[in-house]
């Protein structure tokens, strides 16, 4: 007879999911109530308000999609993009490629602006793409590219799009709660994220926000939105304001308890404090790794604090290192994707996993494992280098 499943206790320092805070896990276990229960609807309103705080927006169409971040991405494209539209898609990693897939599947034309993996989106190339193509409806780009750990200048890119009368669709899956994002201040029209990165929440929910410009485009569509489940006009009947909600789908009740708790914790810490915490622990990890002799893929000014792509030392089988970290330390770090497979590791410092204990565990485990495998690294330097950052304080 099959027995109950009990997962091992891991420290998750890969590209996601990240460690779920015990408070958030406890929220999952609270009694399930109906998704139209007045108390649940009251909680939904709180989720919307706290999500507006996290995104820095006052847009009323700010809500969690009842599915993972990929569904948030699809919700943005399926509602805003119609057959025959022109969409400039910036690709500097895996997830820009997924944006292209969405554009083409919905019958639109993707005008590609490509940058080297590990480099930010080049605003000059985006300007050139707008100059070369008239009637561009949307500029789509990844704010924080999880496949490489690079942060692009969302504010500048949104200004370029606005100047040319285009909407913006922004992937903030890895940036929300970990790096500065200002949806209203930067003029982002549609944005999507995920709960499993810097919000310390289980995977399965995708926060999204559409501003008034985006809502007008959705309302004036010539064709019917090809997805029933992700049609924002229908979903708003359930997630809209007021006590009366129209049934659309059975919401993941307990997962939304968890999301509510993670947003409460973000409010308690303060948004700017959360950004500063991610930067502080990144600085300690960075100095430790560099003291060991391990370098970074992304140049410092464009580096994402919560997702660190670092080069594998020469002659080392990176998969063997990851397996040993898992077996010996119950520590997960991520592999490289695409052209970077086998060349880099992706070390996540996200949400509640972004703390001093994990930074020191990771440095110690990597040093011990690599030195046992004969890697050309400097030993005894990493922990003191990280501790020097911690002595300085925030």
């Amino acid at each position: 007879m099959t027995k109950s499943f009990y997962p091992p206790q891991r420290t998750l320092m890969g590209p996601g999911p990240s460690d779920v805070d015990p408070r958030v896990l406890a929220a999952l276990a609270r009694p399930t109530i109906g998704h139209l229960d007045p108390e649940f609807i009251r909680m939904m309103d709180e989720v919307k308000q706290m999500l507006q705080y996290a995104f820095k927006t006052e847009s009323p169409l700010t809500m969690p999609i009842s599915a993972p971040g990929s569904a948030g991405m699809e919700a943005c494209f399926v509602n805003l993009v119609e057959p025959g539209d022109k969409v400039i898609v910036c690709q500097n990693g895996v997830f820009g490629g997924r944006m292209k897939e969405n554009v083409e599947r919905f019958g639109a034309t993707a005008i590609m602006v490509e940058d080297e993996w590990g480099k930010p989106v080049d605003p000059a190339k985006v300007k050139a793409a707008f100059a070369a193509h008239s009637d561009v409806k949307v500029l789509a780009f990844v704010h924080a590219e999880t496949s490489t750990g690079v942060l692009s200048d969302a504010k500048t890119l949104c200004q370029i799009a606005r100047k040319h009368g285009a909407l913006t669709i922004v992937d903030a899956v890895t940036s929300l709660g970990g790096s500065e994002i200002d949806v209203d201040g930067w003029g982002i029209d549609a944005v999507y994220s995920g709960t499993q990165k810097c919000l310390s929440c289980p995977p399965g929910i995708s926060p999204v926000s559409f501003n008034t410009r985006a809502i007008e485009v959705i309302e004036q569509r010539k064709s019917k939105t090809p997805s029933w489940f992700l049609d924002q006009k229908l979903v708003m009947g359930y997630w809209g304001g007021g006590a009366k909600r129209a049934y659309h789908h059975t919401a993941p009740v307990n997962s939304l308890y968890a999301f509510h708790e993670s947003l409460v914790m973000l409010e308690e810490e303060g948004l700017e404090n959360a950004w500063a915490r991610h930067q502080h622990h990144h600085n300690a990890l960075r100095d430790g790794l560099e003291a060991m002799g391990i370098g970074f893929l992304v140049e410092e000014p464009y580096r994402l604090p919560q997702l660190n792509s670092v080069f594998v030392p020469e002659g080392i089988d990176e998969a063997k290192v990851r397996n040993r970290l898992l077996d010996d330390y119950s520590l997960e770090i991520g592999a490289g994707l695409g052209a970077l497979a086998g060349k880099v590791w992706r070390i996540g410092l996200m949400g509640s996993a972004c703390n001093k204990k994990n930074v020191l565990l990771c440095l110690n485990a990597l040093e011990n494992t690599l030195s046992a495998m004969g890697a050309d690294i400097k030993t005894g330097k990493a922990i003191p280098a990280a501790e020097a950052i911690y002595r300085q304080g925030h």
Side-chain angles (χ1 to χ4, degrees), residues 137-153:
K137 184 178 185 181
V138 175
L139 170 67
F141 64 90
V142 179
H143 181 217
E145 179 54 77
T146 317
S147 64
T148 62
V150 73
L151 192 64
S152 289
D153 184 350

PDB file of all heavy atoms in Angstrom, residues 137-153:
ATOM      1  N   LYS A 137       1.888  47.984 -31.231  1.00  0.00           N
ATOM      2  CA  LYS A 137       0.864  48.070 -30.188  1.00  0.00           C
ATOM      3  C   LYS A 137       1.446  47.881 -28.792  1.00  0.00           C
ATOM      4  O   LYS A 137       1.013  48.515 -27.822  1.00  0.00           O
ATOM      5  CB  LYS A 137      -0.211  47.011 -30.434  1.00  0.00           C
ATOM      6  CG  LYS A 137      -1.386  47.080 -29.448  1.00  0.00           C
ATOM      7  CD  LYS A 137      -2.419  46.024 -29.792  1.00  0.00           C
ATOM      8  CE  LYS A 137      -3.655  46.122 -28.915  1.00  0.00           C
ATOM      9  NZ  LYS A 137      -4.633  45.063 -29.245  1.00  0.00           N
ATOM     10  N   VAL A 138       2.433  46.966 -28.663  1.00  0.00           N
ATOM     11  CA  VAL A 138       2.937  46.584 -27.337  1.00  0.00           C
ATOM     12  C   VAL A 138       4.455  46.429 -27.363  1.00  0.00           C
ATOM     13  O   VAL A 138       5.018  45.914 -28.341  1.00  0.00           O
ATOM     14  CB  VAL A 138       2.306  45.236 -26.883  1.00  0.00           C
ATOM     15  CG1 VAL A 138       2.911  44.769 -25.552  1.00  0.00           C
ATOM     16  CG2 VAL A 138       0.787  45.336 -26.756  1.00  0.00           C
ATOM     17  N   LEU A 139       5.095  46.871 -26.300  1.00  0.00           N
ATOM     18  CA  LEU A 139       6.495  46.523 -26.016  1.00  0.00           C
ATOM     19  C   LEU A 139       6.479  45.550 -24.848  1.00  0.00           C
ATOM     20  O   LEU A 139       5.927  45.851 -23.786  1.00  0.00           O
ATOM     21  CB  LEU A 139       7.300  47.771 -25.641  1.00  0.00           C
ATOM     22  CG  LEU A 139       8.710  47.504 -25.083  1.00  0.00           C
ATOM     23  CD1 LEU A 139       9.623  46.910 -26.145  1.00  0.00           C
ATOM     24  CD2 LEU A 139       9.329  48.776 -24.488  1.00  0.00           C
ATOM     25  N   ALA A 140       7.074  44.364 -25.039  1.00  0.00           N
ATOM     26  CA  ALA A 140       7.102  43.343 -23.979  1.00  0.00           C
ATOM     27  C   ALA A 140       8.548  43.042 -23.608  1.00  0.00           C
ATOM     28  O   ALA A 140       9.391  42.833 -24.482  1.00  0.00           O
ATOM     29  CB  ALA A 140       6.411  42.065 -24.466  1.00  0.00           C
ATOM     30  N   PHE A 141       8.826  43.037 -22.298  1.00  0.00           N
ATOM     31  CA  PHE A 141      10.184  42.726 -21.855  1.00  0.00           C
ATOM     32  C   PHE A 141      10.164  42.125 -20.451  1.00  0.00           C
ATOM     33  O   PHE A 141       9.191  42.265 -19.709  1.00  0.00           O
ATOM     34  CB  PHE A 141      11.079  43.975 -21.885  1.00  0.00           C
ATOM     35  CG  PHE A 141      10.670  45.073 -20.944  1.00  0.00           C
ATOM     36  CD1 PHE A 141      11.160  45.125 -19.640  1.00  0.00           C
ATOM     37  CD2 PHE A 141       9.789  46.068 -21.361  1.00  0.00           C
ATOM     38  CE1 PHE A 141      10.777  46.134 -18.767  1.00  0.00           C
ATOM     39  CE2 PHE A 141       9.406  47.092 -20.495  1.00  0.00           C
ATOM     40  CZ  PHE A 141       9.906  47.124 -19.201  1.00  0.00           C
ATOM     41  N   VAL A 142      11.267  41.462 -20.131  1.00  0.00           N
ATOM     42  CA  VAL A 142      11.438  40.856 -18.806  1.00  0.00           C
ATOM     43  C   VAL A 142      12.228  41.834 -17.935  1.00  0.00           C
ATOM     44  O   VAL A 142      13.336  42.229 -18.299  1.00  0.00           O
ATOM     45  CB  VAL A 142      12.175  39.502 -18.908  1.00  0.00           C
ATOM     46  CG1 VAL A 142      12.380  38.899 -17.523  1.00  0.00           C
ATOM     47  CG2 VAL A 142      11.406  38.536 -19.812  1.00  0.00           C
ATOM     48  N   HIS A 143      11.642  42.221 -16.811  1.00  0.00           N
ATOM     49  CA  HIS A 143      12.327  43.146 -15.898  1.00  0.00           C
ATOM     50  C   HIS A 143      13.519  42.444 -15.244  1.00  0.00           C
ATOM     51  O   HIS A 143      14.634  42.968 -15.245  1.00  0.00           O
ATOM     52  CB  HIS A 143      11.332  43.630 -14.830  1.00  0.00           C
ATOM     53  CG  HIS A 143      11.912  44.594 -13.842  1.00  0.00           C
ATOM     54  ND1 HIS A 143      11.565  44.587 -12.511  1.00  0.00           N
ATOM     55  CD2 HIS A 143      12.801  45.596 -13.999  1.00  0.00           C
ATOM     56  CE1 HIS A 143      12.234  45.554 -11.892  1.00  0.00           C
ATOM     57  NE2 HIS A 143      12.981  46.188 -12.766  1.00  0.00           N
ATOM     58  N   ALA A 144      13.271  41.263 -14.695  1.00  0.00           N
ATOM     59  CA  ALA A 144      14.320  40.501 -13.999  1.00  0.00           C
ATOM     60  C   ALA A 144      14.382  39.116 -14.644  1.00  0.00           C
ATOM     61  O   ALA A 144      13.523  38.289 -14.409  1.00  0.00           O
ATOM     62  CB  ALA A 144      13.991  40.395 -12.517  1.00  0.00           C
ATOM     63  N   GLU A 145      15.402  38.894 -15.462  1.00  0.00           N
ATOM     64  CA  GLU A 145      15.500  37.652 -16.239  1.00  0.00           C
ATOM     65  C   GLU A 145      16.061  36.522 -15.365  1.00  0.00           C
ATOM     66  O   GLU A 145      17.230  36.514 -14.999  1.00  0.00           O
ATOM     67  CB  GLU A 145      16.379  37.884 -17.474  1.00  0.00           C
ATOM     68  CG  GLU A 145      16.604  36.685 -18.362  1.00  0.00           C
ATOM     69  CD  GLU A 145      15.343  35.987 -18.844  1.00  0.00           C
ATOM     70  OE1 GLU A 145      14.669  36.486 -19.757  1.00  0.00           O
ATOM     71  OE2 GLU A 145      15.047  34.901 -18.289  1.00  0.00           O
ATOM     72  N   THR A 146      15.179  35.582 -15.020  1.00  0.00           N
ATOM     73  CA  THR A 146      15.527  34.505 -14.084  1.00  0.00           C
ATOM     74  C   THR A 146      16.573  33.553 -14.647  1.00  0.00           C
ATOM     75  O   THR A 146      17.289  32.903 -13.898  1.00  0.00           O
ATOM     76  CB  THR A 146      14.254  33.697 -13.722  1.00  0.00           C
ATOM     77  OG1 THR A 146      13.183  34.597 -13.499  1.00  0.00           O
ATOM     78  CG2 THR A 146      14.466  32.851 -12.481  1.00  0.00           C
ATOM     79  N   SER A 147      16.664  33.472 -15.960  1.00  0.00           N
ATOM     80  CA  SER A 147      17.614  32.526 -16.553  1.00  0.00           C
ATOM     81  C   SER A 147      19.054  33.017 -16.467  1.00  0.00           C
ATOM     82  O   SER A 147      19.991  32.229 -16.587  1.00  0.00           O
ATOM     83  CB  SER A 147      17.246  32.232 -18.011  1.00  0.00           C
ATOM     84  OG  SER A 147      17.343  33.400 -18.798  1.00  0.00           O
ATOM     85  N   THR A 148      19.242  34.343 -16.255  1.00  0.00           N
ATOM     86  CA  THR A 148      20.601  34.886 -16.231  1.00  0.00           C
ATOM     87  C   THR A 148      20.920  35.713 -14.988  1.00  0.00           C
ATOM     88  O   THR A 148      22.085  35.899 -14.657  1.00  0.00           O
ATOM     89  CB  THR A 148      20.832  35.792 -17.460  1.00  0.00           C
ATOM     90  OG1 THR A 148      19.916  36.894 -17.385  1.00  0.00           O
ATOM     91  CG2 THR A 148      20.626  35.030 -18.759  1.00  0.00           C
ATOM     92  N   GLY A 149      19.872  36.258 -14.326  1.00  0.00           N
ATOM     93  CA  GLY A 149      20.122  37.109 -13.163  1.00  0.00           C
ATOM     94  C   GLY A 149      20.432  38.545 -13.536  1.00  0.00           C
ATOM     95  O   GLY A 149      21.177  39.226 -12.835  1.00  0.00           O
ATOM     96  N   VAL A 150      19.855  39.016 -14.648  1.00  0.00           N
ATOM     97  CA  VAL A 150      20.104  40.399 -15.074  1.00  0.00           C
ATOM     98  C   VAL A 150      18.830  41.230 -14.911  1.00  0.00           C
ATOM     99  O   VAL A 150      17.719  40.752 -15.125  1.00  0.00           O
ATOM    100  CB  VAL A 150      20.617  40.452 -16.536  1.00  0.00           C
ATOM    101  CG1 VAL A 150      19.513  40.152 -17.534  1.00  0.00           C
ATOM    102  CG2 VAL A 150      21.247  41.797 -16.854  1.00  0.00           C
ATOM    103  N   LEU A 151      19.030  42.488 -14.513  1.00  0.00           N
ATOM    104  CA  LEU A 151      17.935  43.429 -14.281  1.00  0.00           C
ATOM    105  C   LEU A 151      17.973  44.480 -15.383  1.00  0.00           C
ATOM    106  O   LEU A 151      19.000  45.125 -15.585  1.00  0.00           O
ATOM    107  CB  LEU A 151      18.126  44.089 -12.910  1.00  0.00           C
ATOM    108  CG  LEU A 151      16.980  44.896 -12.312  1.00  0.00           C
ATOM    109  CD1 LEU A 151      15.763  44.018 -12.021  1.00  0.00           C
ATOM    110  CD2 LEU A 151      17.444  45.561 -11.013  1.00  0.00           C
ATOM    111  N   SER A 152      16.858  44.641 -16.112  1.00  0.00           N
ATOM    112  CA  SER A 152      16.794  45.664 -17.159  1.00  0.00           C
ATOM    113  C   SER A 152      16.143  46.934 -16.620  1.00  0.00           C
ATOM    114  O   SER A 152      15.448  46.908 -15.608  1.00  0.00           O
ATOM    115  CB  SER A 152      16.029  45.127 -18.372  1.00  0.00           C
ATOM    116  OG  SER A 152      16.813  44.145 -19.037  1.00  0.00           O
ATOM    117  N   ASP A 153      16.368  48.037 -17.334  1.00  0.00           N
ATOM    118  CA  ASP A 153      15.894  49.354 -16.897  1.00  0.00           C
ATOM    119  C   ASP A 153      14.439  49.534 -17.331  1.00  0.00           C
ATOM    120  O   ASP A 153      14.147  50.092 -18.396  1.00  0.00           O
ATOM    121  CB  ASP A 153      16.794  50.439 -17.504  1.00  0.00           C
ATOM    122  CG  ASP A 153      16.443  51.835 -17.023  1.00  0.00           C
ATOM    123  OD1 ASP A 153      15.390  52.006 -16.369  1.00  0.00           O
ATOM    124  OD2 ASP A 153      17.218  52.774 -17.312  1.00  0.00           O
TER     125      ASP A 153
END
